[in-house]
Amino acid sequence: MQISLQQKNMKPKLILVAILAAYAMPQMVMAENKAETIELGKVEVVGVTPLSSLGVPIDQVPSNVQVAKGKDIQNQQGLSIADYMSQNMVGVNINEAQNNPYQPDVNFRGFTASPLVGTPQGLSVYQDGVRVNEPFGDTVNWDLIPQNAISSIALMPGSNPLFGLNTLGGAVSVQTKSGEHNPGGGVQVSGGSWGRWAIEGEYGGKLDNGLSYFFAGNKFEESGWRDSSPSDVLQGFGKLGWSNDKTDVDISFTGADNELTGNGYQAQSLLKTFGYDSIYTKPDITKNKLIFVNAKVSTWLSNEFLLTTNAYYRKNRTSSYNGDLNDDFDGVTDTNEGVINQGRVNQKGYGLGTQLTWVTDKNQLTGGVSADLSRINFNQTSQEFSTFSDARGVGGTLDDEELDVSLKGRSRTWSVFATDTYNATPKLALTASGRYNNTRIKNDDLLVPVGGAGTGSLTGSDTYSRFNPAVGLTYSVAPELNVYGGYNEGNRAPSVIELGCADALVPCNLPNAMAGDPPLKQVVAKTFEGGVRGKFSDIAKWSLSAYRATNYDDLQFIASSTSGAGYFSNVGKTRRQGIDLGLNGDAGDFHWSAGYSYIKATYESTFDIVSDVNSSNVGGVMTVNPGDNIPGIPKHQLKLRGEWRALPTWTIGASAVFFSDQYARGNENNQHQADDVNFFGSGKIGGYGVLNLDTRYTLPNTGWQLFAKVNNVFDREYSTSALLGQNGFDANGAFASGSGANETFLAPGAPRAGWVGVRYDFGKPKSSPSAVDVD
């Protein structure tokens, strides 16, 4: 957020923000008149709690926060915030395990936010103060956040306790647009490679009586670059607001109706035989339908006290339709080669939160409480089919559909939190924070209730509670040099799916069959971070940070086959440590940025994994030792971005990303070796680099803009993720009735593609008015 301070008569909240700004900028001389202080300049502030309403100057935040504006995201024409983050934010990479542009695994400093159940989740994601990690498995559906409704993104590193559960490695805080701060409208249409076409529009404004409105909608379709991989996305967003000198009210609605095909990994041998765009089995379809209503009220009780409250209702219906190999096939007692696994999850979330902020000349104290409840209904069915088609699609005659799981889950979390930033001197700011979380999860098995026939009931309950502290300090050595350091803790309670799939002897075919299992421990993360940030006059800004994050009782999904079978387990300690370096600046008409990250992610405890697909297994067991690298995380990342304004109306941009090699999932001990007899593939994927180009041309004084984008300019073939598994097909793609070959499966990256589009903006101010965005 940027605060532009120009007026003599301001609201009480602007005056108080100006006081904070003065303490964040020691080069300024404090004026006796607060209005004069306001005129001194502008300072960037970020929200330090999910329910952000005031914010703290970024130079007083003891961590390396990264912020992006909605306009920057729009200009690069990505499909989702995940796409933008992976191209521009330091420490972020994606694994395209689903191979759908709306379903990536987003990794930050070795922690993940993924739509895929079974991926260890370690990042929390918020939209306007509401945590949108799904309660069933803490997953994140990136397709449910409409990109053209985004005002800003803040990426908060570390196990910041203020952002609640699942904030082990960081939090993504998304703020949406409002009619008050984003007046006018825009419509754009684009199309190009893979049959992709998209249309999106937005419009907002504010009336003289204080009412404001903003609406946005998107429609996207494509056939996909891989075989049988279409996607259909429909997103909508609306916000109604009202404000006066003391009170702001916002009521927003987010809706989506999406059908995504995520064909996932392909065996390395089949990629060579059938081509880079081939798939393993089909169909693999996920449907998401979202209704999300959020209401927020902020009011100044006095010149020093700001009260903010929100309440929300969120309902997401997810259904999956997946064609897989039949794990029960033996060619004798079972003659069905394939199986269709269907899952249906209805998740309803409700929540209420309130916080009170007290601001004085030297201090900002915020305290609050929140309660989040969810209701989950999950059903999984399987239907066996007799054959696979030539394209490895499940087909032929079928058996009756069987209900494998019927589960009702409930979760309840209540929290108490507080944070205080104290300006000990104009240069030194001290921060102390804490949050107490209490989570209860209760599962009711509707097929095998307690006391019923058979065994393995999922009925049970668990309670997890913890107080997480944080401390930090920032010091402005000089007007252009700021140092900081901090320590924080966070926790994640096991989710409904994880508690129902935790037995190595009874692996689950996620997100499908589950069994009654022993309870899991909650994950606790402890993070140290320190850094330096500053600028070289008005030429460039820079930042350098170092961190060390240790997870205790870390929770991992241990896969045992490519069908997704496996189990959740606490695996002891894991550690992520490294450095982030960021630079950005302007040189005339050229804007540039560069970011480098080193991430060393390792297991720090010894544990065993049941595995037949790793060549180093002894008696079907693979041993992981301290120091072994965690799969899926490249150690080195480099990102470069340049934009050249060739003409006042024409901009040319280029983005290049480079990632080093990484280990495949299933190779947690890093010992897998190919012998080309029983095991094929190295269990690693090589490093890669990709160059993307974009351009936009604005027709003067018309509101019209033409834009184009080319991804993977040099058509590089690469993989973003890998998995060890057993290939159930022979070299010709026919179903192998016996045991298949143990191979490395790859998630190939998209080939070269291009799109063009046109945009028309109307009713927007020629220059942004002086305002303070406190959304």
Side-chain angles (χ1 to χ4, degrees), residues 72-105:
D72 297 329
I73 300 171
Q74 174 189 304
N75 285 341
Q76 292 192 33
Q77 294 295 330
L79 291 182
S80 69
I81 62 173
D83 188 6
Y84 179 86
M85 291 168 62
S86 68
Q87 295 289 322
N88 295 274
M89 289 188 162
V90 178
V92 176
N93 75 290
I94 62 173
N95 300 132
E96 298 180 87
Q98 292 290 86
N99 262 134
N100 184 287
Y102 283 96
Q103 295 178 298
D105 296 349

PDB file of all heavy atoms in Angstrom, residues 72-105:
ATOM      1  N   ASP A  72       0.639  -4.223 -11.680  1.00  0.00           N
ATOM      2  CA  ASP A  72       1.801  -4.975 -12.156  1.00  0.00           C
ATOM      3  C   ASP A  72       1.405  -6.379 -12.595  1.00  0.00           C
ATOM      4  O   ASP A  72       1.920  -6.908 -13.586  1.00  0.00           O
ATOM      5  CB  ASP A  72       2.862  -5.051 -11.059  1.00  0.00           C
ATOM      6  CG  ASP A  72       3.399  -3.675 -10.681  1.00  0.00           C
ATOM      7  OD1 ASP A  72       3.448  -2.799 -11.558  1.00  0.00           O
ATOM      8  OD2 ASP A  72       3.753  -3.485  -9.505  1.00  0.00           O
ATOM      9  N   ILE A  73       0.499  -6.994 -11.836  1.00  0.00           N
ATOM     10  CA  ILE A  73       0.033  -8.337 -12.190  1.00  0.00           C
ATOM     11  C   ILE A  73      -0.699  -8.313 -13.523  1.00  0.00           C
ATOM     12  O   ILE A  73      -0.505  -9.178 -14.388  1.00  0.00           O
ATOM     13  CB  ILE A  73      -0.874  -8.887 -11.072  1.00  0.00           C
ATOM     14  CG1 ILE A  73      -0.098  -8.957  -9.750  1.00  0.00           C
ATOM     15  CG2 ILE A  73      -1.425 -10.256 -11.443  1.00  0.00           C
ATOM     16  CD1 ILE A  73      -0.964  -9.270  -8.554  1.00  0.00           C
ATOM     17  N   GLN A  74      -1.550  -7.316 -13.708  1.00  0.00           N
ATOM     18  CA  GLN A  74      -2.297  -7.190 -14.959  1.00  0.00           C
ATOM     19  C   GLN A  74      -1.374  -6.986 -16.143  1.00  0.00           C
ATOM     20  O   GLN A  74      -1.557  -7.593 -17.212  1.00  0.00           O
ATOM     21  CB  GLN A  74      -3.277  -6.023 -14.857  1.00  0.00           C
ATOM     22  CG  GLN A  74      -4.005  -5.724 -16.167  1.00  0.00           C
ATOM     23  CD  GLN A  74      -4.796  -4.439 -16.095  1.00  0.00           C
ATOM     24  OE1 GLN A  74      -5.647  -4.262 -15.233  1.00  0.00           O
ATOM     25  NE2 GLN A  74      -4.516  -3.509 -17.007  1.00  0.00           N
ATOM     26  N   ASN A  75      -0.351  -6.156 -15.980  1.00  0.00           N
ATOM     27  CA  ASN A  75       0.525  -5.830 -17.107  1.00  0.00           C
ATOM     28  C   ASN A  75       1.269  -7.045 -17.641  1.00  0.00           C
ATOM     29  O   ASN A  75       1.579  -7.103 -18.842  1.00  0.00           O
ATOM     30  CB  ASN A  75       1.529  -4.752 -16.698  1.00  0.00           C
ATOM     31  CG  ASN A  75       0.900  -3.375 -16.598  1.00  0.00           C
ATOM     32  OD1 ASN A  75      -0.180  -3.124 -17.148  1.00  0.00           O
ATOM     33  ND2 ASN A  75       1.551  -2.472 -15.888  1.00  0.00           N
ATOM     34  N   GLN A  76       1.564  -8.016 -16.778  1.00  0.00           N
ATOM     35  CA  GLN A  76       2.282  -9.207 -17.249  1.00  0.00           C
ATOM     36  C   GLN A  76       1.360 -10.288 -17.789  1.00  0.00           C
ATOM     37  O   GLN A  76       1.817 -11.304 -18.307  1.00  0.00           O
ATOM     38  CB  GLN A  76       3.167  -9.758 -16.128  1.00  0.00           C
ATOM     39  CG  GLN A  76       4.323  -8.830 -15.780  1.00  0.00           C
ATOM     40  CD  GLN A  76       5.354  -9.483 -14.887  1.00  0.00           C
ATOM     41  OE1 GLN A  76       5.607 -10.684 -14.966  1.00  0.00           O
ATOM     42  NE2 GLN A  76       5.976  -8.693 -14.007  1.00  0.00           N
ATOM     43  N   GLN A  77       0.043 -10.107 -17.627  1.00  0.00           N
ATOM     44  CA  GLN A  77      -0.964 -10.976 -18.254  1.00  0.00           C
ATOM     45  C   GLN A  77      -0.797 -12.448 -17.883  1.00  0.00           C
ATOM     46  O   GLN A  77      -0.939 -13.341 -18.724  1.00  0.00           O
ATOM     47  CB  GLN A  77      -0.928 -10.811 -19.780  1.00  0.00           C
ATOM     48  CG  GLN A  77      -1.344  -9.438 -20.257  1.00  0.00           C
ATOM     49  CD  GLN A  77      -2.801  -9.103 -19.956  1.00  0.00           C
ATOM     50  OE1 GLN A  77      -3.645  -9.997 -19.905  1.00  0.00           O
ATOM     51  NE2 GLN A  77      -3.087  -7.830 -19.750  1.00  0.00           N
ATOM     52  N   GLY A  78      -0.510 -12.719 -16.606  1.00  0.00           N
ATOM     53  CA  GLY A  78      -0.521 -14.100 -16.140  1.00  0.00           C
ATOM     54  C   GLY A  78      -1.947 -14.553 -15.865  1.00  0.00           C
ATOM     55  O   GLY A  78      -2.888 -13.748 -15.862  1.00  0.00           O
ATOM     56  N   LEU A  79      -2.111 -15.848 -15.602  1.00  0.00           N
ATOM     57  CA  LEU A  79      -3.450 -16.374 -15.376  1.00  0.00           C
ATOM     58  C   LEU A  79      -3.868 -16.321 -13.914  1.00  0.00           C
ATOM     59  O   LEU A  79      -5.056 -16.270 -13.608  1.00  0.00           O
ATOM     60  CB  LEU A  79      -3.532 -17.823 -15.871  1.00  0.00           C
ATOM     61  CG  LEU A  79      -3.449 -18.023 -17.384  1.00  0.00           C
ATOM     62  CD1 LEU A  79      -3.595 -19.501 -17.716  1.00  0.00           C
ATOM     63  CD2 LEU A  79      -4.499 -17.201 -18.113  1.00  0.00           C
ATOM     64  N   SER A  80      -2.905 -16.373 -13.010  1.00  0.00           N
ATOM     65  CA  SER A  80      -3.237 -16.421 -11.593  1.00  0.00           C
ATOM     66  C   SER A  80      -2.127 -15.747 -10.802  1.00  0.00           C
ATOM     67  O   SER A  80      -1.052 -15.464 -11.324  1.00  0.00           O
ATOM     68  CB  SER A  80      -3.409 -17.870 -11.124  1.00  0.00           C
ATOM     69  OG  SER A  80      -2.167 -18.554 -11.137  1.00  0.00           O
ATOM     70  N   ILE A  81      -2.398 -15.517  -9.508  1.00  0.00           N
ATOM     71  CA  ILE A  81      -1.354 -14.924  -8.684  1.00  0.00           C
ATOM     72  C   ILE A  81      -0.184 -15.880  -8.535  1.00  0.00           C
ATOM     73  O   ILE A  81       0.963 -15.446  -8.347  1.00  0.00           O
ATOM     74  CB  ILE A  81      -1.892 -14.510  -7.310  1.00  0.00           C
ATOM     75  CG1 ILE A  81      -2.403 -15.720  -6.520  1.00  0.00           C
ATOM     76  CG2 ILE A  81      -2.976 -13.477  -7.456  1.00  0.00           C
ATOM     77  CD1 ILE A  81      -2.777 -15.359  -5.094  1.00  0.00           C
ATOM     78  N   ALA A  82      -0.443 -17.189  -8.638  1.00  0.00           N
ATOM     79  CA  ALA A  82       0.651 -18.159  -8.571  1.00  0.00           C
ATOM     80  C   ALA A  82       1.615 -17.952  -9.726  1.00  0.00           C
ATOM     81  O   ALA A  82       2.836 -18.032  -9.566  1.00  0.00           O
ATOM     82  CB  ALA A  82       0.095 -19.580  -8.577  1.00  0.00           C
ATOM     83  N   ASP A  83       1.076 -17.679 -10.910  1.00  0.00           N
ATOM     84  CA  ASP A  83       1.897 -17.434 -12.093  1.00  0.00           C
ATOM     85  C   ASP A  83       2.769 -16.198 -11.882  1.00  0.00           C
ATOM     86  O   ASP A  83       3.981 -16.210 -12.141  1.00  0.00           O
ATOM     87  CB  ASP A  83       0.979 -17.247 -13.305  1.00  0.00           C
ATOM     88  CG  ASP A  83       1.741 -17.184 -14.612  1.00  0.00           C
ATOM     89  OD1 ASP A  83       2.963 -17.390 -14.599  1.00  0.00           O
ATOM     90  OD2 ASP A  83       1.108 -16.919 -15.651  1.00  0.00           O
ATOM     91  N   TYR A  84       2.176 -15.117 -11.387  1.00  0.00           N
ATOM     92  CA  TYR A  84       2.945 -13.887 -11.162  1.00  0.00           C
ATOM     93  C   TYR A  84       4.021 -14.097 -10.104  1.00  0.00           C
ATOM     94  O   TYR A  84       5.170 -13.658 -10.273  1.00  0.00           O
ATOM     95  CB  TYR A  84       2.009 -12.755 -10.736  1.00  0.00           C
ATOM     96  CG  TYR A  84       2.745 -11.465 -10.462  1.00  0.00           C
ATOM     97  CD1 TYR A  84       3.022 -10.573 -11.497  1.00  0.00           C
ATOM     98  CD2 TYR A  84       3.198 -11.148  -9.181  1.00  0.00           C
ATOM     99  CE1 TYR A  84       3.731  -9.392 -11.251  1.00  0.00           C
ATOM    100  CE2 TYR A  84       3.903  -9.982  -8.932  1.00  0.00           C
ATOM    101  CZ  TYR A  84       4.166  -9.104  -9.976  1.00  0.00           C
ATOM    102  OH  TYR A  84       4.875  -7.955  -9.722  1.00  0.00           O
ATOM    103  N   MET A  85       3.680 -14.755  -9.003  1.00  0.00           N
ATOM    104  CA  MET A  85       4.643 -14.967  -7.928  1.00  0.00           C
ATOM    105  C   MET A  85       5.851 -15.767  -8.407  1.00  0.00           C
ATOM    106  O   MET A  85       6.990 -15.464  -8.063  1.00  0.00           O
ATOM    107  CB  MET A  85       3.964 -15.655  -6.748  1.00  0.00           C
ATOM    108  CG  MET A  85       2.950 -14.790  -6.017  1.00  0.00           C
ATOM    109  SD  MET A  85       1.934 -15.733  -4.859  1.00  0.00           S
ATOM    110  CE  MET A  85       3.180 -16.339  -3.723  1.00  0.00           C
ATOM    111  N   SER A  86       5.606 -16.796  -9.202  1.00  0.00           N
ATOM    112  CA  SER A  86       6.710 -17.644  -9.653  1.00  0.00           C
ATOM    113  C   SER A  86       7.643 -16.905 -10.592  1.00  0.00           C
ATOM    114  O   SER A  86       8.840 -17.210 -10.670  1.00  0.00           O
ATOM    115  CB  SER A  86       6.168 -18.899 -10.344  1.00  0.00           C
ATOM    116  OG  SER A  86       5.536 -18.562 -11.578  1.00  0.00           O
ATOM    117  N   GLN A  87       7.135 -15.888 -11.318  1.00  0.00           N
ATOM    118  CA  GLN A  87       7.954 -15.141 -12.262  1.00  0.00           C
ATOM    119  C   GLN A  87       8.693 -13.979 -11.610  1.00  0.00           C
ATOM    120  O   GLN A  87       9.720 -13.528 -12.129  1.00  0.00           O
ATOM    121  CB  GLN A  87       7.066 -14.591 -13.391  1.00  0.00           C
ATOM    122  CG  GLN A  87       6.436 -15.640 -14.268  1.00  0.00           C
ATOM    123  CD  GLN A  87       7.428 -16.330 -15.173  1.00  0.00           C
ATOM    124  OE1 GLN A  87       8.344 -15.706 -15.703  1.00  0.00           O
ATOM    125  NE2 GLN A  87       7.285 -17.627 -15.355  1.00  0.00           N
ATOM    126  N   ASN A  88       8.177 -13.476 -10.472  1.00  0.00           N
ATOM    127  CA  ASN A  88       8.681 -12.203  -9.974  1.00  0.00           C
ATOM    128  C   ASN A  88       9.145 -12.194  -8.526  1.00  0.00           C
ATOM    129  O   ASN A  88       9.963 -11.335  -8.164  1.00  0.00           O
ATOM    130  CB  ASN A  88       7.588 -11.134 -10.129  1.00  0.00           C
ATOM    131  CG  ASN A  88       7.235 -10.850 -11.563  1.00  0.00           C
ATOM    132  OD1 ASN A  88       7.865 -10.044 -12.224  1.00  0.00           O
ATOM    133  ND2 ASN A  88       6.205 -11.531 -12.057  1.00  0.00           N
ATOM    134  N   MET A  89       8.650 -13.056  -7.680  1.00  0.00           N
ATOM    135  CA  MET A  89       8.942 -12.950  -6.259  1.00  0.00           C
ATOM    136  C   MET A  89      10.107 -13.847  -5.865  1.00  0.00           C
ATOM    137  O   MET A  89      10.175 -15.024  -6.257  1.00  0.00           O
ATOM    138  CB  MET A  89       7.698 -13.274  -5.429  1.00  0.00           C
ATOM    139  CG  MET A  89       6.641 -12.182  -5.528  1.00  0.00           C
ATOM    140  SD  MET A  89       5.264 -12.424  -4.397  1.00  0.00           S
ATOM    141  CE  MET A  89       4.557 -10.766  -4.373  1.00  0.00           C
ATOM    142  N   VAL A  90      11.005 -13.303  -5.083  1.00  0.00           N
ATOM    143  CA  VAL A  90      12.218 -14.000  -4.679  1.00  0.00           C
ATOM    144  C   VAL A  90      11.856 -15.178  -3.772  1.00  0.00           C
ATOM    145  O   VAL A  90      11.051 -15.052  -2.852  1.00  0.00           O
ATOM    146  CB  VAL A  90      13.167 -13.036  -3.941  1.00  0.00           C
ATOM    147  CG1 VAL A  90      14.417 -13.767  -3.476  1.00  0.00           C
ATOM    148  CG2 VAL A  90      13.530 -11.860  -4.830  1.00  0.00           C
ATOM    149  N   GLY A  91      12.458 -16.339  -4.049  1.00  0.00           N
ATOM    150  CA  GLY A  91      12.251 -17.518  -3.221  1.00  0.00           C
ATOM    151  C   GLY A  91      11.077 -18.379  -3.608  1.00  0.00           C
ATOM    152  O   GLY A  91      10.795 -19.371  -2.941  1.00  0.00           O
ATOM    153  N   VAL A  92      10.368 -18.028  -4.703  1.00  0.00           N
ATOM    154  CA  VAL A  92       9.167 -18.750  -5.111  1.00  0.00           C
ATOM    155  C   VAL A  92       9.455 -19.574  -6.362  1.00  0.00           C
ATOM    156  O   VAL A  92      10.026 -19.063  -7.334  1.00  0.00           O
ATOM    157  CB  VAL A  92       7.993 -17.792  -5.382  1.00  0.00           C
ATOM    158  CG1 VAL A  92       6.775 -18.549  -5.893  1.00  0.00           C
ATOM    159  CG2 VAL A  92       7.647 -16.999  -4.127  1.00  0.00           C
ATOM    160  N   ASN A  93       9.051 -20.835  -6.351  1.00  0.00           N
ATOM    161  CA  ASN A  93       9.056 -21.655  -7.558  1.00  0.00           C
ATOM    162  C   ASN A  93       7.791 -22.493  -7.582  1.00  0.00           C
ATOM    163  O   ASN A  93       7.101 -22.628  -6.561  1.00  0.00           O
ATOM    164  CB  ASN A  93      10.293 -22.553  -7.635  1.00  0.00           C
ATOM    165  CG  ASN A  93      10.228 -23.741  -6.697  1.00  0.00           C
ATOM    166  OD1 ASN A  93      10.313 -23.572  -5.478  1.00  0.00           O
ATOM    167  ND2 ASN A  93      10.084 -24.951  -7.235  1.00  0.00           N
ATOM    168  N   ILE A  94       7.447 -23.037  -8.718  1.00  0.00           N
ATOM    169  CA  ILE A  94       6.253 -23.862  -8.826  1.00  0.00           C
ATOM    170  C   ILE A  94       6.624 -25.249  -9.329  1.00  0.00           C
ATOM    171  O   ILE A  94       7.562 -25.424 -10.111  1.00  0.00           O
ATOM    172  CB  ILE A  94       5.172 -23.240  -9.721  1.00  0.00           C
ATOM    173  CG1 ILE A  94       5.665 -23.076 -11.167  1.00  0.00           C
ATOM    174  CG2 ILE A  94       4.695 -21.909  -9.154  1.00  0.00           C
ATOM    175  CD1 ILE A  94       4.574 -22.636 -12.118  1.00  0.00           C
ATOM    176  N   ASN A  95       5.877 -26.249  -8.846  1.00  0.00           N
ATOM    177  CA  ASN A  95       5.912 -27.609  -9.385  1.00  0.00           C
ATOM    178  C   ASN A  95       4.578 -27.841 -10.079  1.00  0.00           C
ATOM    179  O   ASN A  95       3.529 -27.742  -9.449  1.00  0.00           O
ATOM    180  CB  ASN A  95       6.103 -28.646  -8.282  1.00  0.00           C
ATOM    181  CG  ASN A  95       7.387 -28.452  -7.502  1.00  0.00           C
ATOM    182  OD1 ASN A  95       7.380 -28.456  -6.288  1.00  0.00           O
ATOM    183  ND2 ASN A  95       8.497 -28.260  -8.185  1.00  0.00           N
ATOM    184  N   GLU A  96       4.631 -28.141 -11.371  1.00  0.00           N
ATOM    185  CA  GLU A  96       3.386 -28.354 -12.122  1.00  0.00           C
ATOM    186  C   GLU A  96       2.987 -29.824 -12.045  1.00  0.00           C
ATOM    187  O   GLU A  96       2.880 -30.511 -13.068  1.00  0.00           O
ATOM    188  CB  GLU A  96       3.565 -27.893 -13.558  1.00  0.00           C
ATOM    189  CG  GLU A  96       3.862 -26.401 -13.663  1.00  0.00           C
ATOM    190  CD  GLU A  96       4.037 -25.937 -15.092  1.00  0.00           C
ATOM    191  OE1 GLU A  96       3.027 -25.611 -15.723  1.00  0.00           O
ATOM    192  OE2 GLU A  96       5.180 -25.916 -15.568  1.00  0.00           O
ATOM    193  N   ALA A  97       2.742 -30.281 -10.814  1.00  0.00           N
ATOM    194  CA  ALA A  97       2.397 -31.685 -10.606  1.00  0.00           C
ATOM    195  C   ALA A  97       1.091 -32.058 -11.277  1.00  0.00           C
ATOM    196  O   ALA A  97       0.889 -33.208 -11.668  1.00  0.00           O
ATOM    197  CB  ALA A  97       2.331 -31.980  -9.111  1.00  0.00           C
ATOM    198  N   GLN A  98       0.164 -31.107 -11.433  1.00  0.00           N
ATOM    199  CA  GLN A  98      -1.109 -31.371 -12.089  1.00  0.00           C
ATOM    200  C   GLN A  98      -1.074 -31.018 -13.569  1.00  0.00           C
ATOM    201  O   GLN A  98      -1.969 -31.413 -14.321  1.00  0.00           O
ATOM    202  CB  GLN A  98      -2.215 -30.562 -11.415  1.00  0.00           C
ATOM    203  CG  GLN A  98      -2.536 -30.997  -9.988  1.00  0.00           C
ATOM    204  CD  GLN A  98      -3.217 -32.336  -9.950  1.00  0.00           C
ATOM    205  OE1 GLN A  98      -2.553 -33.379  -9.945  1.00  0.00           O
ATOM    206  NE2 GLN A  98      -4.536 -32.339  -9.933  1.00  0.00           N
ATOM    207  N   ASN A  99      -0.088 -30.230 -13.982  1.00  0.00           N
ATOM    208  CA  ASN A  99       0.029 -29.777 -15.367  1.00  0.00           C
ATOM    209  C   ASN A  99      -1.212 -29.042 -15.852  1.00  0.00           C
ATOM    210  O   ASN A  99      -1.688 -29.234 -16.974  1.00  0.00           O
ATOM    211  CB  ASN A  99       0.364 -30.925 -16.305  1.00  0.00           C
ATOM    212  CG  ASN A  99       1.839 -31.000 -16.633  1.00  0.00           C
ATOM    213  OD1 ASN A  99       2.426 -32.063 -16.586  1.00  0.00           O
ATOM    214  ND2 ASN A  99       2.459 -29.875 -16.954  1.00  0.00           N
ATOM    215  N   ASN A 100      -1.750 -28.217 -14.967  1.00  0.00           N
ATOM    216  CA  ASN A 100      -2.828 -27.312 -15.339  1.00  0.00           C
ATOM    217  C   ASN A 100      -2.418 -25.917 -14.881  1.00  0.00           C
ATOM    218  O   ASN A 100      -1.923 -25.763 -13.756  1.00  0.00           O
ATOM    219  CB  ASN A 100      -4.143 -27.732 -14.670  1.00  0.00           C
ATOM    220  CG  ASN A 100      -5.313 -26.878 -15.114  1.00  0.00           C
ATOM    221  OD1 ASN A 100      -5.432 -25.716 -14.724  1.00  0.00           O
ATOM    222  ND2 ASN A 100      -6.182 -27.445 -15.929  1.00  0.00           N
ATOM    223  N   PRO A 101      -2.595 -24.880 -15.703  1.00  0.00           N
ATOM    224  CA  PRO A 101      -2.094 -23.552 -15.324  1.00  0.00           C
ATOM    225  C   PRO A 101      -2.741 -22.982 -14.071  1.00  0.00           C
ATOM    226  O   PRO A 101      -2.175 -22.065 -13.458  1.00  0.00           O
ATOM    227  CB  PRO A 101      -2.416 -22.692 -16.550  1.00  0.00           C
ATOM    228  CG  PRO A 101      -3.508 -23.416 -17.276  1.00  0.00           C
ATOM    229  CD  PRO A 101      -3.236 -24.861 -17.043  1.00  0.00           C
ATOM    230  N   TYR A 102      -3.898 -23.508 -13.682  1.00  0.00           N
ATOM    231  CA  TYR A 102      -4.564 -23.025 -12.484  1.00  0.00           C
ATOM    232  C   TYR A 102      -4.333 -23.929 -11.275  1.00  0.00           C
ATOM    233  O   TYR A 102      -4.890 -23.681 -10.214  1.00  0.00           O
ATOM    234  CB  TYR A 102      -6.078 -22.903 -12.724  1.00  0.00           C
ATOM    235  CG  TYR A 102      -6.473 -21.699 -13.533  1.00  0.00           C
ATOM    236  CD1 TYR A 102      -6.667 -21.787 -14.908  1.00  0.00           C
ATOM    237  CD2 TYR A 102      -6.658 -20.463 -12.925  1.00  0.00           C
ATOM    238  CE1 TYR A 102      -7.046 -20.683 -15.658  1.00  0.00           C
ATOM    239  CE2 TYR A 102      -7.042 -19.351 -13.658  1.00  0.00           C
ATOM    240  CZ  TYR A 102      -7.232 -19.467 -15.027  1.00  0.00           C
ATOM    241  OH  TYR A 102      -7.601 -18.364 -15.755  1.00  0.00           O
ATOM    242  N   GLN A 103      -3.521 -24.982 -11.415  1.00  0.00           N
ATOM    243  CA  GLN A 103      -3.346 -25.943 -10.325  1.00  0.00           C
ATOM    244  C   GLN A 103      -1.878 -26.196  -9.980  1.00  0.00           C
ATOM    245  O   GLN A 103      -1.484 -27.334  -9.757  1.00  0.00           O
ATOM    246  CB  GLN A 103      -4.003 -27.281 -10.692  1.00  0.00           C
ATOM    247  CG  GLN A 103      -5.506 -27.226 -10.834  1.00  0.00           C
ATOM    248  CD  GLN A 103      -6.089 -28.563 -11.247  1.00  0.00           C
ATOM    249  OE1 GLN A 103      -5.784 -29.092 -12.318  1.00  0.00           O
ATOM    250  NE2 GLN A 103      -6.921 -29.115 -10.395  1.00  0.00           N
ATOM    251  N   PRO A 104      -1.053 -25.175  -9.883  1.00  0.00           N
ATOM    252  CA  PRO A 104       0.357 -25.427  -9.553  1.00  0.00           C
ATOM    253  C   PRO A 104       0.562 -25.603  -8.052  1.00  0.00           C
ATOM    254  O   PRO A 104      -0.231 -25.144  -7.235  1.00  0.00           O
ATOM    255  CB  PRO A 104       1.047 -24.160 -10.045  1.00  0.00           C
ATOM    256  CG  PRO A 104       0.033 -23.087  -9.795  1.00  0.00           C
ATOM    257  CD  PRO A 104      -1.299 -23.728 -10.093  1.00  0.00           C
ATOM    258  N   ASP A 105       1.662 -26.276  -7.701  1.00  0.00           N
ATOM    259  CA  ASP A 105       2.173 -26.238  -6.331  1.00  0.00           C
ATOM    260  C   ASP A 105       3.076 -25.011  -6.232  1.00  0.00           C
ATOM    261  O   ASP A 105       4.050 -24.893  -6.978  1.00  0.00           O
ATOM    262  CB  ASP A 105       3.004 -27.481  -6.012  1.00  0.00           C
ATOM    263  CG  ASP A 105       2.191 -28.760  -6.042  1.00  0.00           C
ATOM    264  OD1 ASP A 105       0.962 -28.679  -6.108  1.00  0.00           O
ATOM    265  OD2 ASP A 105       2.808 -29.844  -6.022  1.00  0.00           O
TER     266      ASP A 105
END
